[in-house]
Amino acid sequence: MQISKRRFTQMLAGTGLGVLTNSVFASVAAPEAGVEYKALRQPQAVEASKKIEVIEFFAYYCPHCYALEPILAEWVKKQGDKIAFKRIHVLNPGVEAQQKLFFALDGMGKAEEFHNKIFEAYHVKRNRLMTDEQIRAFIDTTTIDKAAFYNAYKSFTVTTKQGRSPRVMADYEIESWPSVVVDGRLQTSPSMAVRGLGRVTEQQQNEALLPVLDFLVSKAQKEKAAAPK
């Protein structure tokens, strides 16, 4: 009897975590559109560059984004000049202050410097960063230029970006996070990377995302190279 690759992977998934790790990576060796990733209905504009744009949609309060961060950061580091990586903090009712914090730091060129510190503040030190007062308590622990930060935090630019967030999320078809969009048109996520498999751990989901991202970056590179000049 002939067994499909996906069915075989599902069968392996029930035999133990040691085998499951191998089966996870076997299933994402050749990602399929509509399964491990999807094409956006309307591709979004990207900067003209040899680099492939990769955007992570995330939230500081999100435990899944926190779990993914070290794995994704290592992947980004290994890509070197192949990609142009950036993050967009999603908008969700009740956490507007976290998004403002990200936009303010991003506008100052400080988002990367404080990224892990903010995750730690929320998930380890239990500063929920839900109010301006809680944001101030966090900022007071840093060496950032306080006046420059609060000017950015209260700025028209940040307010405008926050107002545009629902449209941006709709354009990129963001319904859950973390999600990653490659080249403005190919979306994936840890949960998408292991679709069709049995029960997996969050660590395995996150690790399975990486070969899917490798595939999508390579796909975008090849298509860009083949496109008419």
Side-chain angles (χ1 to χ4, degrees), residues 83 108 115:
I83 68 170
M108 295 174 67
H115 192 65

Side-chain angles (χ1 to χ4, degrees), residues 108 136 138-151:
M108 295 174 67
R136 183 177 295 277
F138 168 74
I139 291 297
D140 286 346
T141 68
T142 73
T143 58
I144 197 170
D145 183 323
K146 307 298 190 294
F149 170 78
Y150 288 115
N151 284 338

Side-chain angles (χ1 to χ4, degrees), residues 192-211:
M192 290 176 70
V194 293
R195 276 183 179 170
L197 296 181
R199 185 175 60 183
V200 299
T201 67
E202 183 164 34
Q203 178 75 9
Q204 289 166 333
Q205 276 193 2
N206 291 339
E207 290 175 352
L209 174 66
L210 305 188

